[in-house]
């Protein structure tokens, strides 16, 4: 078994992505990668702890250097301190979306209310609500089949009871279902604003989850 200094791995990552990220961002990305892949923390890096080089490290390094977001390289992202799996059809969870979940939870309390999450993606919103408010009945919709499959896998891995369905909200025929809360982090960036987006977002995150037509 070949061991290598975790600090050496960190330096390799930072050097590989130095041209596309600031020094601070590059350091944070390196630490987050090593945390997910090697289970190490910042202190381990400072102490130059010896670890086994991650499987496919060179390939991961190439993808990071090409601007692929860390979360897609590792296939993982934290949301409200839980680790969610991602695929190319799911948006990377943002910290500000955690505030949305907290607002819903503050209103839900311990009540047995029904909640619908529209555009669920990885399921991070719906699953977090279901886990924090176990009396709630939570449903998650997404137009992308691959996103729904990923959300179901995350729910299984995290032990959440959520009813995920592939559904386009604009093609939903009204039926007997009603919800006490409807929550969503929908696409809201205009197509015309694509020119302002950073390449690591524009080139790798699902456009279906990000952009809407300029006229709509």
């Amino acid at each position: 078994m070949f061991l290598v200094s975790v600090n050496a791995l960190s330096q390799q990552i930072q050097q590989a992505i130095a041209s596309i990220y600031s020094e601070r961002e590059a350091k944070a990305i390196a630490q987050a990668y090593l945390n997910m892949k090697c289970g190490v923390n910042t202190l381990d890096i400072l102490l130059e702890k010896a670890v086994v080089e991650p499987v496919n490290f060179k390939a991961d390094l190439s993808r990071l250097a090409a601007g692929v977001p860390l979360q897609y390289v590792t296939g993982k992202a934290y949301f409200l301190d839980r680790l969610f799996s991602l695929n190319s059809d799911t948006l990377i969870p943002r910290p500000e979306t955690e505030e949305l979940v907290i607002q819903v939870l503050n209103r839900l309390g311990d009540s047995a209310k029904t909640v619908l999450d529209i555009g669920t993606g990885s399921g991070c919103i719906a699953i977090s609500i279901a886990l924090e408010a176990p009396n709630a009945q939570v449903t998650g919709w997404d137009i992308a089949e691959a996103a729904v499959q990923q959300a179901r896998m995350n729910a299984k891995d995290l032990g959440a009871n959520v009813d995920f369905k592939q559904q386009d909200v604009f093609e939903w025929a009204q039926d007997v279902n009603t919800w006490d809360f409807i929550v969503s982090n929908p696409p809201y960036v205009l197509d015309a604003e694509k020119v302002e987006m950073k390449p690591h977002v524009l080139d790798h995150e699902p456009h279906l989850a990000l952009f809407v037509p300029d006229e709509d």
Side-chain angles (χ1 to χ4, degrees), residues 104 108 111-116 136-137 177-183:
V104 175
L108 266 177
S111 60
K113 300 289 188 179
T114 54
V115 182
L116 172 64
Q137 301 173 49
N177 290 323
T178 60
W179 293 272
D180 298 302
F181 293 87
I182 296 178
V183 59

Side-chain angles (χ1 to χ4, degrees), residues 16 20 26 45 79 89 97 107 114 117 129 131 138 140 174 205:
I20 53 178
I45 295 174
F79 186 81
D89 287 274
T97 308
R107 289 163 173 77
T114 54
D117 173 28
I129 292 172
L131 291 173
V138 185
Q174 187 172 356
E205 297 208 53

Side-chain angles (χ1 to χ4, degrees), residues 7-209:
N7 187 57
L9 295 177
S10 176
Q11 290 301 318
Q12 287 187 60
I13 297 170
Q14 292 180 61
Q15 290 170 11
I17 61 179
S19 63
I20 53 178
Y21 296 102
S22 69
E23 182 178 347
R24 184 174 182 179
E25 287 178 307
K27 186 175 182 179
I29 289 170
Q31 290 178 350
Y33 174 89
L34 294 168
N35 173 259
M36 290 188 187
K37 288 286 189 172
C38 305
V40 297
N41 55 36
T42 305
L43 181 59
D44 293 326
I45 295 174
L46 292 173
L47 295 176
E48 299 191 19
K49 180 179 178 179
V51 296
V52 177
E53 183 176 290
V55 176
N56 299 323
F57 177 68
K58 295 296 187 291
D60 288 348
L61 203 61
S62 296
R63 295 183 70 199
L64 287 170
V68 179
L70 167 72
Q71 294 87 344
Y72 291 132
V73 173
T74 61
K76 303 282 185 180
Y78 280 101
F79 186 81
L80 285 174
D81 297 325
R82 294 186 178 94
L83 195 57
F84 286 80
S85 295
L86 307 177
N87 63 31
S88 59
D89 287 274
T90 57
L91 198 66
I92 296 170
R94 265 56 173 189
E96 55 268 28
T97 308
E98 296 178 350
E99 295 296 326
L100 178 63
V101 172
I102 291 169
Q103 290 295 326
V104 175
L105 292 173
N106 287 339
R107 289 163 173 77
L108 266 177
D110 296 326
S111 60
K113 300 289 188 179
T114 54
V115 182
L116 172 64
D117 173 28
I118 297 174
T120 197
S122 64
C124 60
I125 292 175
I127 290 169
S128 297
I129 292 172
L131 291 173
E132 296 295 331
N135 290 328
Q137 301 173 49
V138 185
T139 300
W141 287 356
D142 202 284
I143 193 172
E145 181 181 0
V148 173
Q149 292 175 352
Q150 184 65 77
R152 287 173 178 160
M153 290 176 59
N154 281 327
K156 181 180 179 181
D157 292 342
L158 293 168
N161 183 20
V162 181
D163 181 19
F164 288 111
K165 295 179 180 178
Q166 184 182 9
Q167 177 68 55
D168 181 347
V169 66
F170 297 112
E171 294 182 2
W172 171 61
Q174 187 172 356
D175 57 24
V176 297
N177 290 323
T178 60
W179 293 272
D180 298 302
F181 293 87
I182 296 178
V183 59
S184 183
N185 181 27
Y188 58 84
V189 183
L190 297 177
D191 282 331
E193 295 176 310
K194 287 181 179 178
V195 295
E196 302 173 20
M197 304 295 287
K198 292 182 178 180
H200 66 269
V201 175
L202 187 62
D203 296 342
H204 302 287
E205 297 208 53
H207 286 202
L208 190 62

